[in-house]
């Protein structure tokens, strides 16, 4: 879906599938015009090209906001896989936006490839807000990083002392995690834990982490991720009692659940 100045752009279809965008519905501003792309599929990229090209002809300057950067996982060349993130960033650069704002990029590769890029550290903001809500004099609160990558990223962003870090051993033939251990010292028998990362799909890694935290004495376990895919409903993360609540945004998620609290972007 594409929004222009907070209004959804209406896109109709010709019988053969070609897109029809009515320009009279676009509410232009004298400055600070904004395109926001909530990525559903590759069609959104085509519509972005059409819309920005139209604005260029009108000599209208515009900023781009991308709550979830498409192809974030494809941030390197592996085997015969095409480096799709690189080419998407090259395309966005060619559109010459005044600025490009990305929410919680999956890696530094994305920001390195984009021109005039701004980053919103949304997981950090969600964690800091949750910490204030969970203040408890009886139970200590620990931030839990589910892998070394998360520890490296959020250790720099979030100023907090009570940290636990998970180390996992993955079977690269099957893709499944064979072993997961949590490093760090627990000072109380019962505590609260906040697992923080950027992206959740079905939530398998977070379930394993939560299970280990329960064994260590966690009374409540929360998950904070900026990007939560609708595939979370296919896993067990929302059906079991390991995870107390999930805090995320609407960058990808389009469904509701009583255990999910969504921050609008």
């Amino acid at each position: 879906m594409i929004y222009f100045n907070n209004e959804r752009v209406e896109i109709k279809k010709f019988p053969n599938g070609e897109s029809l965008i009515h320009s009279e519905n676009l509410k232009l501003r004298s400055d600070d015009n904004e395109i926001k792309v909530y990525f559903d599929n590759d069609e959104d990229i085509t519509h972005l090209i059409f819309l920005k090209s139209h604005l260029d002809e009108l000599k209208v300057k515009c900023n781009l906001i991308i709550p979830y950067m498409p192809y974030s996982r494809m941030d390197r060349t592996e085997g015969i896989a095409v480096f799709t993130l690189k080419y998407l960033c090259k395309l966005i650069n060619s559109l010459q936006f005044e600025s490009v704002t990305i929410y919680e990029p999956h890696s530094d590769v994305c920001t390195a490839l984009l021109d005039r890029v701004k980053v919103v550290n949304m997981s950090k903001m969600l964690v800091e807000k949750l910490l204030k809500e969970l203040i408890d004099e009886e139970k200590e609160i620990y931030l839990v990083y589910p892998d070394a990558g998360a520890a490296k990223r959020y250790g720099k962003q979030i100023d907090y002392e009570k940290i636990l870090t998970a180390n996992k051993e993955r079977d690269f033939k099957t893709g499944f995690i064979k072993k997961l251990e949590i490093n760090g010292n627990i000072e109380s028998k019962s505590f609260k834990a906040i697992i923080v990362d950027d992206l959740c799909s079905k939530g398998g890694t977070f379930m394993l982490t939560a299970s280990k935290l329960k064994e260590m004495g966690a009374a409540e376990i929360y998950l904070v991720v900026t990007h939560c895919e609708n595939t979370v409903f296919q896993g067990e993360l929302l059906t079991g009692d390991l995870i107390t609540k999930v805090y995320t945004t609407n960058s990808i998620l389009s469904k509701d659940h009583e255990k999910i609290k969504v921050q609008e972007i």
Side-chain angles (χ1 to χ4, degrees):
M1 296 179 291
I2 292 187
Y3 287 75
F4 181 70
N5 290 338
N6 296 320
E7 296 286 340
R8 185 171 177 178
V9 178
E10 184 179 358
I11 301 173
K12 296 183 178 180
K13 293 285 187 179
F14 288 104
N16 67 349
E18 294 172 346
S19 298
L20 173 63
I21 304 174
H22 287 291
S23 61
E24 65 267 22
N25 295 327
L26 300 176
K27 298 179 180 179
L28 301 178
R29 300 172 182 167
S30 57
D31 57 5
D32 292 329
N33 290 281
E34 173 187 289
I35 295 175
K36 185 181 293 184
V37 180
Y38 289 97
F39 182 77
D40 283 330
N41 53 56
D42 289 345
E43 221 175 35
D44 290 324
I45 299 172
T46 303
H47 297 155
L48 176 64
I49 296 170
F50 291 156
L51 180 56
K52 181 57 166 63
S53 298
H54 173 68
L55 295 174
D56 287 345
E57 289 197 349
L58 297 176
K59 300 187 184 306
V60 173
K61 294 182 178 180
C62 189
N63 301 298
L64 176 64
I65 295 179
I66 310 179
Y68 169 72
M69 183 64 189
Y71 295 98
S72 289
R73 291 186 180 92
M74 304 299 293
D75 58 0
R76 71 200 72 182
T77 300
E78 294 181 347
I80 60 174
V82 175
F83 195 172
T84 44
L85 177 62
K86 176 181 178 180
Y87 305 128
L88 176 57
C89 290
K90 185 177 181 180
L91 170 62
I92 291 174
N93 289 339
S94 72
L95 295 176
Q96 292 290 305
F97 285 96
E98 298 301 301
S99 67
V100 179
T101 300
I102 307 293
Y103 281 72
E104 204 66 32
H106 187 58
S107 71
D108 293 337
V109 175
C110 177
T111 54
L113 291 171
L114 285 170
D115 298 336
R116 297 172 295 281
V117 65
K118 300 178 181 179
V119 173
V120 178
N121 297 319
M122 197 67 198
S123 288
K124 172 183 181 291
M125 295 167 63
L126 291 173
V127 165
E128 290 176 344
K129 183 178 179 180
L130 181 56
L131 282 170
K132 292 179 181 178
E133 294 177 6
L134 295 180
I135 291 177
D136 189 335
E137 295 182 358
E138 296 182 0
K139 290 184 174 65
E140 292 187 322
I141 304 172
Y142 289 85
L143 290 190
V144 183
Y145 302 138
D147 55 35
K152 181 179 179 181
R153 173 189 295 197
Y154 300 112
K156 295 178 181 178
Q157 292 182 16
I158 304 172
D159 184 15
Y160 198 74
E161 295 182 355
K162 296 180 175 63
I163 301 295
L164 301 174
T165 302
N167 290 326
K168 56 190 178 184
E169 183 179 337
R170 189 182 297 274
D171 186 334
F172 288 99
K173 291 184 178 180
T174 64
F176 293 110
I177 297 173
K178 297 190 296 183
K179 184 179 179 181
L180 186 144
E181 298 292 339
I182 295 181
N183 299 323
N185 297 320
I186 301 295
E187 299 177 6
S188 58
K189 294 182 179 179
S190 181
F191 61 94
K192 296 179 181 180
I194 302 174
I195 305 172
V196 55
D197 210 342
D198 67 316
L199 175 67
C200 175
S201 183
K202 292 184 179 180
T205 298
F206 302 129
M207 288 291 287
L208 285 172
T209 305
S211 179
K212 185 65 68 172
L213 288 168
K214 279 288 185 182
E215 294 177 8
M216 297 170 65
E220 299 173 19
I221 303 172
Y222 300 87
L223 173 63
V224 171
V225 286
T226 297
H227 312 296
C228 187
E229 298 178 344
N230 288 318
T231 48
V232 70
F233 291 92
Q234 299 174 18
E236 300 178 357
L237 192 145
L238 300 175
T239 59
D241 59 358
L242 283 175
I243 301 294
T244 306
K245 203 172 190 68
V246 178
Y247 290 78
T248 187
T249 74
N250 63 329
S251 65
I252 303 176
L253 193 69
S254 62
K255 299 180 180 180
D256 297 325
H257 192 278
E258 60 182 4
K259 290 181 71 171
I260 301 178
K261 184 172 182 179
V262 177
Q263 171 73 49
E264 298 285 330
I265 292 178

